[in-house]
Every structure is written in structure tokens, then in C-alpha cells.
Amino acid sequence: MVDLRAQYEKLSPEIDSAIKSVIDSTAFIKGPDVKLFEEELQKYMGVRHVISCANGTDALQLAVRVLGLNPGDEIITTNFTFIATAEVVALLGLKLVLVDPDPGTFNISVEAIRKAITPKTRAIVPVHLFGQCADMESIMELAKLNNLFVIEDAAQATGADYFFSDGSVKKAGTIGHIGTTSFFPSKNLGCYGDGGALYTNDDNFAKKLRSIANHGMKVRYHYDDIGVNSRLDTIQAAILRVKLKHLSRFNETRQAVADFYDEAFAGCLPVIVPERSKYSSHIFHQYTIKVRNSKRDELKKYLESLKIPSMVYYPGPLHMQEAYRHLGYGENDFPVTKELCSKVLSLPMHPDMEQDQLDLITSSILKFFDNSI
Ligand SMILES: Cc1ncc(COP(=O)(O)O)c(C=O)c1O
């Protein structure tokens, strides 16, 4: 699905020297590269604060913690996401309220959020799924009207732009009260292990987040908050500094790959290509098609037989997972999620795809449908 080896080979002189310089300095924890990476990412994102941490799940957990909510307070998020988004809400003893996504963009439905708001709702967590922003302008309006916090899970959308109706543009993750991201190796901006970060324009949140991520310490050996140890390793920060310089180019190449897929499938009725919204750029963390006529699993098997990878993100709705049965949802409470789980298929997508790979993938899919209809 991704080719991390090909990417490393192209960047190896820069990456190797960045890693070597950290080893030479022995500044493995909180070395200069961590601060420099935060400053460079802050500039790229156009946000006041970037706080790095150990991974994207920690980033979400820190973001929810810093809101200072009480047990029983409700947080609304999408049922069609990676488990981490929902997991941290449950882990912190808050009430997880799941809602359906929009069937076209796969992102949280604003109408569904509106219907789920109760007097106990405190926050909304939109996820910019597969590399395209959720409808943030409407979500922020709804949040303002109901006095709610917004935490954006931007793990899959580093570099995506949101276009406001007044013409202004902001990066995914910098619109809500707090944004979070992951530097998992396969992400658009990925390191060589685990890593994550938080974005905020709020000075108080930034101070508190920095403190909680570092054992609750503001001044050395003085603990104002009960914290955790969630730091980005210096070696990962050094790698991310190299990769950040190439991020815009990587994202543009992903868009060119997506354009090729779109064009190839234009006349193929059983394949529905990913919808592109007018309010967001799409940086294609995943290129996810919907397959009509219950042929998804058959297509996946056929591709497998040709050694072409494909993945189902996500095969089962969160509310039906064993760990979340206690929420009390019924099997058919989320018709859109249910339908998407049975139809979506993500195709190989990364910035180092070769034309012959793209030709093989698209011609194989077209051939499958020629023969199967
Ligand atoms: C939408 C989303 N949120 C959160 C995470 C968690 O990130 P991490 O794996 O770095 O903890 C991921 C990634 O894996 C993700 O895709």
C-alpha cells in the first residue's frame, strides 16, 4: 500500500546524516531537533503552537484531557474512523457518542452531529479522514452556538487545506481549539517509528499540554499536573525535519496519482471514485473507492491473486466492536457506516508509485469488472 523503502532510498543521504548527527550529539531526549521541528511545523501549519508527543493516540488523549471535562460529559465523534479517536474518550471516562459519516466524503456528518447534541455534550472530534477535511466551517458554527470544544483529528491529513467561504485558508488541524496528528511511518508526514503532535492557537492550552506531556512539569522537578511521559524522540524529530521539506511535493504527487485513478475509473460504473469536497483540498492519505454490487470482497481477492495490495479501512463499525458494546448501540443504528464498511476499498497510494504499477492496478480492476458483469 505504501513503499517506505523507495522513499528512504531517494532521501537517504539527508536522512542518514540527520540520524548520525543526533547519535553524535547523544541528545536523544528533547534534543535541539525536537524544538527546531516544532518551529518548522508551526510555520508550515500557520499555527501559534506545535507540541510534539509520542504518537497520535497520545496527542488525542492529551487534547481531551486538557479540556478538563467530568465523568459523564459527552463527546461526539464519527463511527467511521480508526479506533484511537474513540478509544481515548472511553479511556478518560467520558461518554462516547458516535454518529454516522457523510456517505460521499466519508467525513463526520454535520447533520448527524446536530441531532446528537444534548445538554451534556462538551466537545466534537471531527476526523479529516483519508486526507480530506471535514466540513469545519459548519462544525465550528455548530460548536460556537452550543458552546462546545472542537478537537480535530488530523492524523491522516497533514498538509490538507480548508477553504472558508470568506476566502481564507487554514491547514487541517489548526481550525478547532486543538488539533492532533500522527507521524506513524505510513502517514503523509511519517517518521521511522512512533510520533505525534498537537496544534493550538490557545496559549493556555499550549502551556498545559506541554506540561502534561512531560510528567506535569512546568519548572524542573515541580509538578503542577498529573502528567504522562509522551515525548517525540530526537531521532524521529530529525527525520521529520528532513521529510517536512518534501511534504508539499509528496502531497502533490499523491494528488497526481489520484487524478490518474479517477480518470481510469471514469467509465467504470461499479467503481465510485472518492468524492472531492469544494471546501477542502484532498491529499489522499488513502485513495478509497466504493464498489457497487457487493463485489468488493471478490475484487479484493482477485487483486490479491495478482499480488496487488488493497485494504479495507474500516471493515467493522466501532459500535459493534466487543469493547464498545456497553455503549448500547444496535446493529442498525448507523446505516451509512454499515454500508461504507461493506463497500470501501483503499488502493495503493504513495508518492513513489511508478506508472507501470498504476497501469497494472487500474487495468486489472477494469478487467475484473469487464469479466464479472
Ligand atoms: C484517524 C487517526 N487517528 C489517530 C491515529 C493514531 O495515531 P498513532 O498510531 O500515531 O497513535 C491514527 C493512526 O494511526 C489515525 O489514522
Side-chain angles (χ1 to χ4, degrees):
M1 296 293 287
V2 294
D3 190 347
L4 297 175
R5 179 87 219 167
Q7 191 184 66
Y8 168 68
E9 275 165 12
K10 286 179 192 152
L11 301 178
S12 62
E14 285 177 88
I15 299 260
D16 291 356
S17 106
I19 294 174
K20 175 90 170 51
S21 79
V22 177
I23 295 173
D24 287 344
S25 75
T26 69
F28 298 115
I29 304 290
K30 285 199 173 284
D33 282 296
V34 177
K35 187 153 184 290
L36 288 169
F37 170 61
E38 287 181 352
E39 285 168 7
E40 286 157 9
L41 186 59
Q42 189 182 324
K43 207 159 154 210
Y44 174 85
M45 298 294 293
V47 70
R48 268 177 81 79
H49 303 279
V50 169
I51 300 109
S52 59
C53 65
N55 56 66
T57 310
D58 273 9
L60 281 162
Q61 190 176 163
L62 290 162
V64 174
R65 260 201 68 183
V66 90
L67 301 182
L69 305 183
N70 298 308
D73 285 348
E74 296 176 4
I75 296 195
I76 300 173
T77 193
T78 168
N79 197 5
F80 193 62
T81 179
F82 180 60
I83 193 69
T85 322
E87 178 180 71
V88 301
V89 176
L91 199 64
L92 292 171
L94 302 165
K95 184 162 178 218
L96 179 62
V97 177
L98 297 170
V99 298
D100 254 339
D102 174 89
T105 63
F106 308 128
N107 275 321
I108 193 164
S109 150
V110 177
E111 215 26 63
I113 300 174
R114 202 187 306 277
K115 285 189 191 141
I117 292 173
T118 75
K120 288 191 167 176
T121 308
R122 296 288 175 268
I124 307 168
V125 185
V127 181
H128 305 310
L129 206 70
F130 302 152
Q132 180 170 237
C133 295
D135 181 357
M136 287 306 293
E137 191 158 356
S138 308
I139 291 171
M140 293 310 289
E141 270 171 26
L142 201 54
K144 198 167 174 199
L145 206 64
N146 293 279
N147 205 16
L148 307 175
F149 292 112
V150 175
I151 296 172
E152 298 171 72
D153 182 346
Q156 301 187 5
T158 305
D161 287 316
Y162 186 88
F163 308 112
F164 286 86
S165 50
D166 67 1
S168 58
V169 183
K170 284 188 182 172
K171 289 275 181 224
T174 67
I175 303 160
H177 299 87
I178 304 176
T180 67
T181 197
S182 161
F183 304 123
F184 187 83
S186 61
K187 293 289 191 266
N188 290 42
L189 179 62
C191 57
Y192 287 3
D194 276 311
L198 296 115
Y199 314 119
T200 186
N201 288 305
D202 182 306
D203 296 349
N204 290 327
F205 278 152
K207 233 186 261 168
K208 189 118 179 151
L209 287 166
R210 265 191 207 291
S211 159
I212 300 180
N214 190 26
H215 297 296
M217 188 163 75
K218 282 200 189 98
V219 177
R220 200 157 199 186
Y221 298 123
H222 290 269
Y223 307 99
D224 298 340
D225 301 294
I226 297 176
V228 294
N229 172 6
S230 186
R231 297 181 292 232
L232 181 68
D233 289 349
T234 314
I235 286 183
Q236 302 305 342
I239 292 165
L240 286 164
R241 287 188 70 204
V242 172
K243 287 189 118 192
L244 180 59
K245 286 190 270 174
H246 301 275
L247 179 62
S248 298
R249 183 171 55 84
F250 290 160
N251 284 343
E252 281 161 21
T253 313
R254 285 172 181 271
Q255 286 164 338
V257 170
D259 289 346
F260 181 85
Y261 277 139
D262 276 4
E263 218 169 288
F265 300 135
C268 181
L269 274 182
V271 172
I272 304 172
V273 299
E275 188 175 307
R276 304 189 191 203
S277 70
K278 59 182 185 317
Y279 48 73
S280 173
S281 67
H282 200 325
I283 52 154
F284 292 98
H285 175 58
Q286 300 295 344
Y287 183 90
T288 303
I289 58 171
K290 284 182 284 187
V291 183
R292 284 196 173 100
N293 309 334
S294 310
K295 292 275 184 195
R296 194 267 315 270
D297 293 343
E298 221 179 295
L299 171 63
K300 188 172 190 319
K301 269 201 198 112
Y302 173 73
L303 294 175
E304 242 165 61
S305 73
L306 301 173
K307 297 199 163 41
I308 296 172
S310 64
M311 290 291 285
V312 175
Y313 301 117
Y314 297 93
L318 299 186
H319 75 285
M320 293 311 288
Q321 305 297 323
E322 201 49 45
Y324 296 89
R325 292 286 174 123
H326 67 278
L327 295 174
Y329 291 118
E331 190 178 348
N332 298 315
D333 284 354
F334 301 95
V336 179
T337 309
K338 190 173 177 181
E339 191 186 337
L340 291 180
C341 289
S342 72
K343 286 193 170 158
V344 289
L345 190 66
S346 297
L347 303 180
M349 167 57 80
H350 57 86
D352 299 287
M353 291 195 72
E354 304 287 347
Q355 190 57 48
D356 58 343
Q357 294 173 323
L358 284 170
D359 289 338
L360 176 70
I361 296 163
T362 50
S363 62
S364 304
I365 293 175
L366 295 175
K367 187 163 165 241
F368 170 81
F369 285 113
D370 264 359
N371 293 336
S372 76
I373 291 169

